[in-house]
Amino acid sequence: MRFLDAIERAQMQPVTFKSMQETEKTQDHSKIIISFDDCGKHLLNFAVPELIRRNFSAVFYIPTANIGGFNTWNVEQGRSKVPLMDESEIIQLQRLGMEVGGHSHDHVRLGSLNDKEVLQQLQSCQSTLTRILGQPATYFAYPYGSIPSNAKALLETNGFHDTCAIFSPRQERHMQRRFIVHDGDSPLTMRAKLTGLYRWYRSLTDPRKPESSWQ
């Protein structure tokens, strides 16, 4: 896992949202939250064991309608079918010290829905995760980075407090900025994404992106 190697070389500490809430009142840029979307089963075979070996933690976001199923939203676009974790595997993640968060119910663009539709997505997502985990999930990632209007109120009404998006016009608790590590990244670009300079770059470029980039 080249990115995990880059994190270690940068002497950064992967943490969970919960540990950040419990130990830090201000931002600490030596800490990083690693996250995975959709909860593909394959992550149990290589990502999770590698995280545990390094004593790292991470957050796993899942669209609850697809638990134990597959990535229907990608297959509909002609992409490869990927089996997703079932309920027992999600519980296993929790027992291993990982965090599990919501990713809507149907993996839809929340920014294209009205408040009632967004509320239904969040309610279904939260009720499913609460039943599986035995407690409410408080972490959420917007599918496609699509942020709905009135996001903060709708999310908090359903118990989600720490949320993130691929692009965010502002760095706030209900729309924290994420960055993606992909196959095209080199060791150099991975290291660059861990720097304060990259955070500064994103603070300038994210607000200038067209609305279609994040909604």
Side-chain angles (χ1 to χ4, degrees), residues 142 147 151-152 155 161 163-164 170 172-176:
Y142 301 103
I147 304 172
K152 185 175 185 292
L155 287 156
H161 300 296
T163 62
C164 54
R170 298 178 302 281
E172 298 179 2
R173 190 166 181 176
H174 69 286
M175 54 172 67
Q176 299 177 71

Side-chain angles (χ1 to χ4, degrees), residues 14-142:
V15 297
T16 60
F17 280 112
K18 182 178 180 181
S19 64
M20 288 284 283
Q21 292 168 359
E22 292 175 346
T23 61
E24 296 293 338
K25 299 298 183 183
T26 58
Q27 287 187 333
D28 182 348
H29 295 312
S30 69
K31 296 182 179 179
I32 186 171
I33 294 175
I34 302 170
S35 60
F36 298 88
D37 285 356
D38 308 331
C39 287
K41 278 182 180 286
H42 62 286
L43 295 173
L44 294 168
N45 297 325
F46 78 97
V48 173
E50 189 65 22
L51 288 165
I52 293 171
R53 184 182 73 80
R54 299 175 191 243
N55 198 30
F56 285 0
S57 55
V59 187
F60 293 77
Y61 298 108
I62 187 153
T64 47
N66 298 81
I67 293 173
F70 63 95
N71 55 331
T72 54
W73 59 94
N74 284 331
V75 173
E76 290 168 358
Q77 297 175 352
R79 299 180 181 178
S80 299
K81 181 178 179 179
V82 177
L84 306 184
M85 296 180 198
D86 60 27
E87 292 190 10
S88 65
E89 291 163 333
I90 291 171
I91 293 170
Q92 179 185 353
L93 283 179
Q94 185 185 47
R95 289 175 176 167
L96 290 171
M98 307 297 165
E99 288 182 337
V100 178
H103 202 37
S104 80
H105 188 60
D106 296 298
H107 202 285
V108 293
R109 295 181 183 273
L110 297 178
S112 67
L113 305 182
N114 61 42
D115 282 3
K116 182 178 179 180
E117 292 169 327
V118 174
L119 197 60
Q120 290 172 341
Q121 285 289 321
L122 297 177
Q123 287 174 340
S124 296
C125 182
Q126 181 63 275
S127 63
T128 302
L129 288 177
T130 298
R131 176 181 58 80
I132 295 171
L133 301 173
Q135 61 187 34
T138 58
Y139 320 106
F140 189 88
Y142 301 103

